[in-house]
Amino acid sequence: MQSKMKESDPILQVENLFASTDNLPILKGVSLTVYPGEIHAIMGRNGCGKSTLSKIIAGHPSYNITNGDLKFLGQNINSLEPEERAQSGIFLGFQYPIEIPGVSNLEFLRVSTNARRKFLNQEELDTFDFEELVKEKLELVKMDQAFLSRSVNQGFSGGEKKRNEILQMALLEPKIAILDETDSGLDIDALRIVASGIKKISNSRTGIILITHYQRLLDEIEPNFVHVMADGQIIKTGGSDLALELEKKGYEWTDNFVKET
Amino acid sequence: MEIIEKIKKYKLTVEQTEIQKICLHKLQSSPLPNPKSELWRLSNKSKFSNFLDFSLNEKDLEFDTPYPNTSQSIIRLVIGENCQTKLIEEDYSIQQLSEEELDKYIKEQISYFDQNENWSNLLNLSLSCKKNILGLKIKGSKIPPIEIFSHASSKSLSAKTLVIFLEKNCNLELLQVNLGKQKSSLSQSTFFFLEENSSLNHGVVSYGKNGSNLLNSLNVIQKSNSAYNLGSLHFKFNYARFEINIKQSEGNAKTNIKSMQITKNDEQISTYTKIDFNGPNGFLDQINKSLADDKSHAIFEGSIIVPKIAQKTDASQLSRNLLLSDLAQIDTKPQLEIIADDVKCKHGATISQLNEEELFYMRTRGITLAEASKLQLSSYFQEIISFIPVSKDRWDLLDKLLNEN
């Protein structure tokens, strides 16, 4: 799925998306458009559908799109496999990065990077060239090389796992990154490292969706838009002020909003 | 009595040895394993019968699967081909056991045989001719790694026997490779005797072809302060059965086992282990992995026997299994029989499928489902493969498992 789009065209369009899992509706008409260079924040209570939205964009096989469209670089991706979406430039940073015992982090990163490079018609990297590249990217998230020889995320602390996610993002150079609660479980220093890594990777050609509960990540990375989700819908969109408002008011008003509508 | 008739028919042309006569006589009272016995209950009857369908071949045809090249530092022996083995160096010696020594040892073993538990050994020894019995006495230090091959020829039944005495203070790395050919049956019985303070790192790789069958019986006696480490792998057999009998005869010995069997199509591969602690302070760490795909069937039954004399035994047995298809079947039964009251023994079994969240995670990084499954499987296999000593890299086991099987 190669793009012939203009730089001003949207990267991601979520159009009136309804989705369910085990016949249980989770998303009930979500619409969202992300243009190059934009940072969007999605906030909301636990269980409002934020993480589900991120998994559906990434193509999780447990969820079914029952209505609506997902478009990436102008093309419908509803039926694309997760790996096809990832290769074409969609990145999901996991809230709880998965441990894969026995699979070396270095090999995992190399195979992933080469899958993306192959899609971009770039030369695949052998182990030596890849090590050079990964060393450079490790600097972004201040990770030690020792992490490369360990199994993927196994025995990593919460902060190390999140930094490993940002390292993957840096290597894959996605068009859009959806970062699901990347700030959870991080102390202040780790949060700054992760935020600084995200800022260095993002540019005027990429889009970012930050899913978060807290203002503290948005203090480090200022979003262009803040969306509030409740009961599987985006019920309000605003600027970065909206996040500050939520910090003060909490989410109770979102419950009332859902009841009223 | 059909099997007895068959064996007698096999033997018409060659004079039977005394051991063959003894074993045949014992088999006459139980010509086939008792299907009601726990050790044979799950064995696929028609596949087992297929094992005995081929005519006995005592003369191996040249094996057309080339063995991987060996390095000069590895001693390579092929059962049935190496009639004379005598290597005496400054630090070690590897000598063939004399006929008298072999006869004496095997007869002693046979006297302990139980018809059901040792049926495979009885069959092996009733079929195995002198040429196909390799007996070695190994002593000394700095012994080069040894590879020992057994193979079956196409459309025939072959029986190979290996007996090794490891003398005091001797350390050895040994890889045993059992190769099956298309439509063939191989009966392999192995007997190890580990003297005090000796240590054996033993690898068993049994690699079949379509329609090949294997009865593989491994019998180990460990004296005190000996260490026996086994890494084993069985795959690509229509029917294979791996029996492990280990006896720590005086206690104070260590045993580590990491074994794996992989079944596809309609194959059946089973592993039966019996670890007998016959003295105090014994140690066992055992893991058996099974992976079953398509309509295949994998079986593991492990028993740990801890009599009163075996106080302070520390034993652990774990069965981990991966079921890759709705029609595949895995039976697993790790069990403990403990009489001693001051022991630390544990066992457990898990059966699962490939982890879907791990797969999704890898797919979100652009790795295809097929590649992600291979990565997961390779990590599953690696734990066992890395425990198999000698030339495991040259055999490309991981590649064989992921790409050929």
Side-chain angles (χ1 to χ4, degrees), chain B residues 203-295:
Chain B
V204 175
V205 175
S206 299
Y207 175 31
K209 269 201 172 180
N210 297 340
S212 57
N213 306 295
L214 172 72
L215 273 187
N216 186 14
S217 176
L218 170 65
N219 308 275
V220 184
I221 295 176
Q222 289 184 252
K223 301 283 269 183
S224 63
N225 296 314
S226 65
Y228 176 68
N229 301 315
L230 169 69
S232 77
L233 179 59
H234 285 72
F235 64 110
K236 241 180 172 176
F237 286 95
N238 166 58
Y239 173 84
R241 186 181 164 89
F242 186 30
E243 299 168 357
I244 305 171
N245 280 292
I246 296 175
K247 185 169 190 172
Q248 295 189 0
S249 62
E250 302 166 338
N252 290 298
K254 283 187 176 168
T255 309
N256 287 288
I257 302 172
K258 290 184 194 286
S259 50
M260 180 161 68
Q261 53 205 2
I262 294 159
T263 55
K264 291 194 98 178
N265 304 317
D266 70 338
E267 299 163 355
Q268 185 187 63
I269 302 184
S270 48
T271 298
Y272 292 84
T273 70
K274 181 184 171 190
I275 319 295
D276 194 349
F277 292 92
N278 200 38
N281 303 309
F283 174 85
L284 168 72
D285 186 10
Q286 179 180 12
I287 178 167
N288 181 272
K289 288 187 175 184
S290 296
L291 182 146
D293 202 354
D294 303 322
K295 291 185 289 181

Side-chain angles (χ1 to χ4, degrees), chain A residues 104-122:
Chain A
S104 110
N105 204 22
L106 181 69
E107 188 57 12
F108 173 68
L109 295 171
R110 192 176 75 84
V111 174
S112 311
T113 305
N114 277 339
R116 172 90 172 116
R117 289 178 72 91
K118 192 176 173 187
F119 176 85
L120 295 171
N121 291 322
Q122 294 172 354

Side-chain angles (χ1 to χ4, degrees), chain B residues 350-368:
Chain B
T350 61
I351 297 185
S352 60
Q353 297 176 320
L354 285 179
N355 186 312
E356 287 190 3
E357 287 308 308
E358 283 182 20
L359 289 176
F360 175 62
Y361 185 68
M362 289 191 264
R363 294 175 81 189
T364 64
R365 301 305 183 248
I367 300 171
T368 62

Side-chain angles (χ1 to χ4, degrees), chain B residues 74-75 77 94 138 143-148 172-175 390:
Chain B
I74 294 175
I75 297 170
L77 303 167
I94 299 172
I138 301 173
I143 306 164
I146 300 178
E147 281 181 345
I148 296 182
L172 179 67
E173 290 210 324
L174 176 112
L175 176 67
V390 193

Side-chain angles (χ1 to χ4, degrees), chain B residues 106 113 136 145 153 164 170 174 218 221 247 268 314 323 341 352 370 376 396:
Chain B
I106 292 176
F113 280 177
L136 299 173
S153 302
I164 290 187
C170 183
L174 176 112
L218 170 65
I221 295 176
K247 185 169 190 172
Q268 185 187 63
D314 180 354
L323 204 51
D341 52 10
S352 60
Q376 255 194 13
D396 291 330

Side-chain angles (χ1 to χ4, degrees), chain A residues 59-60 81-83 86-87 91-92 94 98-103 108 112 115 153 165 168, chain B residues 355-358 360-371 375-376 378-380 382:
Chain A
H60 197 295
E81 297 294 339
E83 55 269 37
Q87 287 163 7
F91 178 84
L92 171 62
F94 279 57
I98 308 291
E99 296 187 6
I100 314 178
V103 175
F108 173 68
S112 311
N153 292 323
E165 294 291 285
Q168 291 168 32
Chain B
N355 186 312
E356 287 190 3
E357 287 308 308
E358 283 182 20
F360 175 62
Y361 185 68
M362 289 191 264
R363 294 175 81 189
T364 64
R365 301 305 183 248
I367 300 171
T368 62
L369 181 59
E371 283 175 308
L375 274 175
Q376 255 194 13
S378 74
S379 77
Y380 185 78
Q382 228 14 300

Side-chain angles (χ1 to χ4, degrees), chain A residues 53-82:
Chain A
L53 174 63
S54 71
K55 286 181 183 168
I56 289 170
I57 295 171
H60 197 295
S62 300
Y63 298 94
N64 295 318
I65 295 177
T66 50
N67 198 11
D69 284 314
L70 270 177
K71 288 181 183 167
F72 178 63
L73 303 176
Q75 295 191 29
N76 191 302
I77 58 165
N78 284 19
S79 57
L80 283 193
E81 297 294 339

